[in-house]
């Protein structure tokens, strides 16, 4: 029997699509453009945590199959104007998979405003941010794909809404390898991906100066407590010339951030499906920063597999985190 999960050649993925399966796909744009129309959504990325370990591939596609639904899933594109309706339009009992192209208006709006979307946190929402090979930065564009029409878009988000039967439910697990350290409390006056002034223990100062003076390892994110969950904001660049810090996710006012310390958290055995029943997770992803900073290419990193992405979605935008959606 042909597998329906994991990293596989384009021809094998095309066969699954032609057989009518509902699929969430991740692959380099050139690979995705070879696939037929069908019941799939996709996003561009060539980095994967495969069963054999971290893999960079431009000619294979990572497949995550959606099964066990109560009615055929709905696949659609959202633009920045309609994206806030995402959760309201989701099934009352089920889940949604969302892929957003990095650096797009949808990416920015979702990052800043998703916590305020109607019905957010009431309906399971998981997904990821599409990207490109890092060698192509500056001349390749992250895109998502709506499989039924074959439309590739750099400006829309793509969603698969999945209604589940009453006896099944979706569970989202967020596995964060970091926790807030015991250092200074850092806060911000406004939401943003780009920061000049922050408040350190209530005192205003340029964030660039603060991080530079401390000599921080920028591979460690800022971490805040979002209603009991530790959420990372990864540092993209400290621009001392402009005295600005560029981030991979926005900071929010009203929260205290601290420089991270490793938590040692790994996925517990209960996360990622029921191994005894041979049930894999429906969806999982890891962060490209974990892939790079931990040197995961060629290395196993636990049982969870999926794309290594430019951002993870577990309800809201996350960084340096693993997200897992399991249907139980």
């Amino acid at each position: 029997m042909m597998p329906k999960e994991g990293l596989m050649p384009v021809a094998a993925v095309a066969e699954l699509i032609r057989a009518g399966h509902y699929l969430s796909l991740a692959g380099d744009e050139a690979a995705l453009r070879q696939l037929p129309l069908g019941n799939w959504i996709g996003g561009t990325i060539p980095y994967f945590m495969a069963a054999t370990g971290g893999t960079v591939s431009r000619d294979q596609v990572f497949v995550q199959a959606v099964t066990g639904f109560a009615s055929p899933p709905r696949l659609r594109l959202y633009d920045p104007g309609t994206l806030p309706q995402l959760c309201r339009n989701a099934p009352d009992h089920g889940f949604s998979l969302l892929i957003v192209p990095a650096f797009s208006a949808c990416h920015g709006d979702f990052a800043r405003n998703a916590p305020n979307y109607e019905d957010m946190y009431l309906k399971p929402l998981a997904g990821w941010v599409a990207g490109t090979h890092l060698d192509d930065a500056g001349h390749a564009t992250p895109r998502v794909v709506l499989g039924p029409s074959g439309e590739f878009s750099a400006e829309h988000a793509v969603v698969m809404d999945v209604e589940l039967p009453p006896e099944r439910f979706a569970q989202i697990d967020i596995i964060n390898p970091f926790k807030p350290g015991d250092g200074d409390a850092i806060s911000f006056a406004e939401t943003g991906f780009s920061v000049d002034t922050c408040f350190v223990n209530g005192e205003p100062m340029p964030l660039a100066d603060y991080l530079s003076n401390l000599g921080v390892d920028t591979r460690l994110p800022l971490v805040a407590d979002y209603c009991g969950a530790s959420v990372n904001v990864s540092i993209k660049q400290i621009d001392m010339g402009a005295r600005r810090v560029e981030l991979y996710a926005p900071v929010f006012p009203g929260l205290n951030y601290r420089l991270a310390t490793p938590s040692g958290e790994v996925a517990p055995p209960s996360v990622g499906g029921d191994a005894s029943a041979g049930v894999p997770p429906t969806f999982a992803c890891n962060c490209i920063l974990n892939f790079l900073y931990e040197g995961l290419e060629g290395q196993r990193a636990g049982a969870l597999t999926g794309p290594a992405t430019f951002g993870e979605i577990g309800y809201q935008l996350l960084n340096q985190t693993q997200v897992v959606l399991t249907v139980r």
Side-chain angles (χ1 to χ4, degrees):
M1 185 170 154
M2 187 174 177
K4 296 181 202 156
E5 307 281 343
L7 195 58
M8 53 183 77
V10 167
V13 183
E15 197 174 321
L16 290 174
I17 293 169
R18 291 191 188 100
H21 296 291
Y22 283 82
L23 307 172
S24 176
L25 305 179
D28 192 78
E29 182 175 343
L32 295 179
R33 286 195 180 274
Q34 297 175 56
L35 297 173
L37 304 184
N39 301 320
W40 59 279
I41 60 170
T44 56
I45 201 77
Y47 302 97
F48 313 99
M49 291 311 303
T52 53
T55 303
V56 183
S57 173
R58 291 182 182 265
D59 56 7
Q60 292 176 287
V61 174
F62 203 97
V63 178
Q64 293 172 314
V66 176
T67 61
F69 38 80
S71 59
R74 297 190 308 251
L75 286 58
R76 66 177 91 184
L77 292 173
Y78 283 93
D79 63 26
T82 56
L83 190 60
Q85 300 165 23
L86 167 76
C87 298
R88 186 177 75 193
N89 293 340
D92 289 332
H93 183 73
F95 63 90
S96 297
L97 292 178
L98 169 67
I99 311 174
V100 180
F103 320 124
S104 65
C106 277
H107 181 207
D109 184 81
F110 184 84
R112 291 182 178 90
N113 300 318
N116 302 316
Y117 286 2
E118 186 178 343
D119 285 354
M120 178 59 75
Y121 307 112
L122 301 180
K123 299 173 180 179
L125 173 66
W128 57 284
V129 177
T132 63
H133 196 292
L134 296 175
D135 290 349
D136 298 343
H139 59 89
T141 304
R143 300 184 195 278
V144 300
V145 196
L146 181 67
S149 67
E151 181 175 351
F152 281 68
S153 178
E155 295 304 325
H156 292 78
V158 68
V159 178
M160 183 186 295
D161 288 325
V162 183
E163 182 184 1
L164 292 173
E167 70 276 8
R168 307 186 86 209
F169 69 94
Q171 175 180 319
I172 293 176
D173 291 288
I174 296 169
I175 302 134
N176 190 343
F178 301 99
K179 61 184 178 182
D182 54 8
D184 296 321
I186 306 165
S187 58
F188 303 92
E190 54 191 45
T191 301
F193 283 86
S194 185
V195 174
D196 42 27
T197 301
C198 69
F199 298 87
V200 177
N201 302 323
E203 295 295 319
M205 69 177 65
L207 180 61
D209 290 2
Y210 174 75
L211 296 176
S212 180
N213 292 340
L214 279 182
V216 301
D217 181 351
T218 55
R219 295 176 298 179
L220 295 174
L222 300 171
V223 188
D225 183 321
Y226 290 46
C227 304
S230 289
V231 173
N232 305 329
V233 173
S234 300
I235 299 168
K236 184 176 184 180
Q237 178 188 10
I238 301 174
D239 183 343
M240 288 308 297
R243 296 178 87 189
R244 294 184 72 77
V245 177
E246 305 296 332
L247 305 165
Y248 283 109
V251 289
F252 293 97
L255 295 170
N256 282 329
Y257 294 80
R258 286 181 164 83
L259 286 164
T261 185
S263 71
E265 183 180 1
V266 295
S270 61
V271 169
D274 183 346
S276 63
V279 179
T282 293
F283 169 81
C285 66
N286 201 341
C287 185
I288 183 66
L289 296 179
N290 291 338
F291 187 96
L292 296 173
Y293 296 163
E294 296 174 24
L296 295 180
E297 187 171 357
Q299 304 295 317
R300 293 290 299 273
L304 295 177
T305 61
T309 68
F310 276 34
E312 304 76 61
I313 296 168
Y315 296 102
Q316 65 187 68
L317 181 69
L318 305 168
N319 288 165
Q320 286 178 260
T321 302
Q322 286 179 281
V323 172
V324 189
L325 184 146
T326 307
V327 176
R328 301 185 181 282

